[in-house]
């Protein structure tokens, strides 16, 4: 049984309007769902992804309005690595980020930058998997960001490796890097030495990384994790998919998520992200709930008709 690389990555924002602008307008991802936090319906849970909302490209944010900045330290993901198709695409992004005033550092065929709240990103040229891209009128499709390749976390390879290899079926790539590759796609996690300062969960930090599996194999992972006694939750229904959570030995929060039923359970593909999605028990109170949420535009509302 093999995991299918990174399913999604979830992080925290204290500034949803700026976050939405950066990920949809600047980076060109698609807002595939604008829902509320199941545990706190006064704030958003935002999902950005490729055109179809595919596992492998979903970056989600929990909104905590005005939350102070966090700091990535031991046990936290500090960089999200995504693919582009070519060195020309790296050049395109260096220019585009520069014109937006985003400090980006080019290192050969890689480009590193932070989001407005400090989440580290890296674009690399990668052709190992099919690109998962969204359309954007200002971004040529061949240069669009194409889904996750890897995460880098602060932690200890010696402590984190045995669970990756012995329970999660990962293969060691080098001293500090493991690959989780299934039949459809793969992804890696690398561990870097933690900084001296302790970690602080807050705005601009990653909360957890989810590894993908199929609907059919998800219950088997539940069994395997219970047998391995890694302190995993049982299966939780996250509405768009099913989840199991556990903390790995360096402290990084892992999730194992399946492929179903996906974002089109609420809206047809062409309308994803256009309205706030509420759990059925909140639907009768929609007006009241929406009045308490930070107003956010539909990022595609102003697009020329031909582009949408
Ligand atoms: Zn998650």
């Amino acid at each position: 049984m093999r995991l299918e690389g990174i399913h999604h990555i979830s992080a925290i924002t204290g500034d949803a309007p700026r976050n939405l602008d950066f990920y949809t307008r600047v980076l060109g991802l698609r807002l595939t769902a604008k829902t509320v936090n199941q545990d706190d319906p006064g704030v958003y849970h935002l999902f950005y992804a490729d055109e179809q909302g595919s596992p492998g490209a979903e970056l989600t944010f929990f909104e905590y309005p005005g939350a102070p900045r966090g700091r990535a330290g031991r046990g936290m993901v500090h960089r999200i690595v995504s693919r582009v198709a070519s060195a020309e695409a790296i050049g395109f992004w260096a220019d585009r980020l520069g014109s937006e005033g985003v400090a980006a550092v080019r290192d050969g065929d890689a480009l590193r930058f932070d989001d407005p709240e400090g989440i580290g990103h890296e674009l690399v040229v990668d052709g190992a998997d099919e690109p998962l891209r969204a359309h954007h009128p200002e971004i040529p499709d061949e240069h669009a960001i194409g889904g996750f390749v890897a995460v880098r976390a602060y932690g200890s390879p010696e402590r984190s490796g045995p669970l990756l290899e012995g329970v999660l079926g990962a293969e060691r790539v080098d001293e500090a890097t493991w690959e989780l590759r299934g039949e459809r796609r793969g992804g890696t996690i690398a561990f870097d030495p933690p900084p001296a300062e302790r970690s602080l969960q807050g705005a601009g930090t990653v909360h957890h990384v989810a590894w993908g599996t199929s609907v059919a194999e998800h219950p088997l992972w539940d069994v395997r994790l219970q047998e391995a006694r890694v302190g995993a939750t049982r299966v939780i229904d996250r509405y768009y998919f099913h989840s199991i959570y556990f903390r790995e030995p360096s402290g990084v929060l892992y999730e194992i998520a399946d492929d179903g039923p996906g974002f089109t359970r609420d809206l047809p593909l062409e309308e994803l992200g256009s309205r706030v999605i509420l759990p059925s028990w909140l639907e009768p109170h929609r007006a009241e709930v929406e009045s308490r949420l930070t107003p956010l535009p539909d990022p595609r509302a102003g697009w020329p008709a031909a582009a949408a």
Side-chain angles (χ1 to χ4, degrees):
M1 212 163 51
R2 300 277 176 174
L3 291 164
E4 303 270 341
I6 298 165
H7 179 286
H8 68 269
I9 297 167
S10 291
I12 296 169
T13 178
D15 185 346
R18 195 170 177 204
N19 182 269
L20 179 86
D21 179 71
F22 185 76
Y23 284 99
T24 63
R25 185 184 62 79
V26 179
L27 294 189
L29 305 185
R30 182 174 188 187
L31 176 67
T32 52
K34 182 166 60 169
T35 180
V36 295
N37 188 331
Q38 289 182 7
D39 303 321
D40 181 0
V43 297
Y44 287 116
H45 189 193
L46 303 171
F47 293 72
Y48 307 115
D50 67 331
E51 205 60 26
Q52 279 77 33
S54 309
E58 297 168 33
L59 178 57
T60 95
F61 282 89
F62 299 107
E63 179 203 20
Y64 291 94
R69 285 279 188 93
R71 185 174 61 222
R74 184 184 295 278
M76 285 168 72
V77 168
H78 65 88
R79 193 185 302 166
I80 297 168
V81 184
S82 301
R83 73 173 54 84
V84 293
S86 63
E88 291 70 42
I90 295 288
F92 170 85
W93 284 104
D95 291 346
R96 182 170 175 84
L97 291 166
S99 69
E100 289 287 337
V102 178
V105 177
R106 186 161 184 172
D107 180 1
D109 278 349
L111 187 70
R112 286 191 283 277
F113 58 94
D114 290 347
D115 89 348
E117 293 172 291
I119 292 182
H121 284 276
E122 181 172 0
L123 301 180
V124 297
V125 178
D126 175 85
D129 289 304
E130 276 293 297
L132 302 167
R133 295 166 170 155
H135 301 306
H136 187 288
E138 296 174 2
I139 301 168
D141 278 354
E142 68 270 25
H143 293 341
I145 294 172
F148 304 126
V149 173
V151 287
R152 301 195 74 92
Y154 289 129
S156 155
E158 292 71 28
R159 293 179 65 185
S160 293
L163 180 140
L164 280 161
E165 288 176 43
V167 181
L168 301 184
E171 290 203 15
R172 194 167 197 161
V173 177
D174 63 31
E175 250 170 56
T177 307
W178 281 264
E179 181 176 45
L180 298 96
R181 176 163 292 280
E183 287 171 13
R184 295 168 293 172
R185 59 185 182 271
T188 64
I189 182 165
F191 293 90
D192 296 310
E197 290 175 303
R198 70 179 184 84
S199 58
L200 195 62
Q201 192 88 73
T205 62
V206 170
H207 186 264
H208 64 264
V209 56
W211 305 106
T213 186
S214 63
V215 171
E217 287 194 347
H218 198 258
L220 306 179
W221 283 105
D222 177 36
V223 172
R224 180 180 288 189
L225 292 167
Q226 291 299 319
E227 285 174 358
R229 300 181 181 277
V230 295
T233 65
R234 301 310 294 263
V235 176
I236 296 171
D237 183 354
R238 286 303 189 200
Y239 190 69
Y240 295 122
F241 43 77
H242 303 88
S243 300
I244 303 169
Y245 302 88
F246 56 104
R247 209 169 278 285
E248 61 82 66
S250 285
V252 179
L253 186 58
Y254 283 171
E255 173 182 343
I256 292 182
D258 69 12
D259 286 347
F263 296 106
T264 51
R265 75 173 288 176
D266 299 310
L267 290 171
L269 191 60
E270 55 276 19
E271 291 174 31
L272 294 184
S274 61
R275 65 196 292 261
V276 178
I277 302 301
L278 297 177
S280 55
W281 53 277
L282 276 173
E283 196 56 58
H285 311 288
R286 172 172 285 273
E288 188 194 333
V289 171
E290 287 199 6
S291 73
R292 279 188 277 131
L293 290 168
T294 310
L296 286 182
D298 173 356
R300 295 188 163 190
W303 280 18

